[in-house]
Amino acid sequence: PVIFAHLALFAAAFHTSAPMVPIWPGVAPGSEGKTAPERWIDGATPDQFHRVTDIHKPSLTIYLPPKEKATGTAFVIMPGGAHKYLVVDLEGEFVAKKLNEMGIAAFVLRSRLAKAEGSTYRAEVESLADVQQAIRVVRGRAKEWGVNPARVGVMGFSAGGHLALMVAYTSGVKELSPESPYAGVRDDVKACVDMYGITDLLTRQATEPDGTPNGKLREAGLFPDKRGENIEKWKLASPSHYVSKSSPATLILHGMA
């Protein structure tokens, strides 16, 4: 809370000069024919942070620590935004720079969004594939960026936390593993940090306006299917259903500020 209160002071002046790289060579699978540019939703409603949406060319924004501080550890960061947009300052660049201070390389992912206006993407398909591919890109270019390929983790916020858990727990699950142009490069991770992300769509509760769970089951909003109409699809997109003894070390943070 202290870190984010401090970061909030700088939100209104957000601009990034960090380099960006595409994660897919050519057109991302599932984005054929989609050429509209990214669209920014500026702050002020409901806050002063900045959101980007309409993402069809997924990318990584690169934040590397000073060489004298670098530990070789890296995190791929997934900002939140209800799968509608990405809060790339508060839950992206600001976090990345804090990690850099600790000698950790950070890569902020702009992934495709399942609930953006008019979107045909799916969280458990295209969005998850983008996270998997981002991890492969970091590993594939590890030497260039000073990263130890054995020390790559993921961190996500809200909807990004959902994706962080999904990629952490589903490595090797055939129906959730797309082909990669990085032949032989793994997408498993050493650690996962989930900041208030969904763990199980089937048991997720609705909340009161103040954020307090009210005991009523909440519809996912990710699919047109209701809970009882397609339980298997809901399970497919629920990270907790993939937990095993080989799952990576995980830190889950929820709560009220």
Side-chain angles (χ1 to χ4, degrees):
V2 174
I3 291 175
F4 285 94
H6 172 71
L7 296 176
L9 297 176
F10 301 93
F14 172 72
H15 296 286
T16 186
S17 58
M20 298 176 67
V21 296
I23 62 171
W24 296 100
V27 178
S31 291
E32 294 82 3
K34 299 181 180 181
T35 58
E38 295 178 351
R39 179 166 57 91
W40 284 92
I41 305 171
D42 283 335
T45 306
D47 51 47
Q48 293 185 346
F49 299 111
H50 299 86
R51 299 154 170 80
V52 64
T53 189
D54 297 347
I55 296 165
H56 304 301
K57 297 179 180 179
S59 64
L60 284 173
T61 307
I62 305 166
Y63 301 87
L64 301 179
K67 288 187 177 181
E68 64 273 15
K69 278 191 173 184
T71 63
T73 299
F75 270 90
V76 176
I77 301 171
M78 281 75 71
H83 294 291
K84 297 178 181 178
Y85 48 74
L86 301 175
V87 187
V88 291
D89 44 8
L90 178 66
E91 296 173 344
E93 177 164 280
F94 297 159
V95 180
K97 289 184 174 180
K98 183 57 66 173
L99 290 175
N100 285 174
E101 292 176 12
M102 297 183 279
I104 299 170
F107 303 85
V108 178
L109 175 63
R110 295 190 188 183
S111 59
R112 288 168 290 179
L113 298 160
K115 293 178 67 179
E117 185 177 350
S119 175
T120 59
Y121 301 130
R122 295 154 290 178
E124 78 282 12
V125 181
E126 289 85 4
S127 301
L128 177 59
D130 289 345
V131 184
Q132 293 167 325
Q133 182 65 5
I135 294 165
R136 292 173 176 141
V137 170
V138 171
R139 277 213 174 93
R141 300 178 65 173
K143 185 175 181 181
E144 173 187 350
W145 292 328
V147 169
N148 181 342
R151 295 179 61 85
V152 178
V154 286
M155 178 185 298
F157 298 78
S158 190
H162 174 218
L163 292 175
L165 290 171
M166 284 292 290
V167 77
Y169 297 163
T170 64
S171 180
V173 176
K174 188 175 181 180
E175 60 267 42
L176 294 174
S177 298
E179 294 296 324
S180 167
Y182 288 88
V185 180
R186 310 186 324 271
D187 62 15
D188 60 301
V189 295
K190 187 71 172 179
C192 174
V193 179
D194 164 33
M195 304 277 196
Y196 41 89
I198 301 169
T199 56
D200 193 333
L201 295 174
L202 289 168
T203 61
R204 186 186 185 197
Q205 294 184 21
T207 57
E208 300 298 339
D210 65 357
T212 305
N214 59 20
K216 298 177 183 178
L217 292 178
R218 178 175 174 177
E219 294 298 336
L222 289 178
F223 321 114
D225 319 66
K226 300 296 183 183
R227 178 182 288 98
E229 295 172 349
N230 199 333
I231 288 179
E232 291 306 311
K233 180 184 285 188
W234 284 49
K235 283 184 179 179
L236 190 69
S238 295
S240 62
H241 290 268
Y242 301 97
V243 175
S244 71
K245 62 182 181 181
S246 62
S247 295
T250 303
L251 173 65
I252 298 177
L253 298 176
H254 285 265
M256 302 289 288

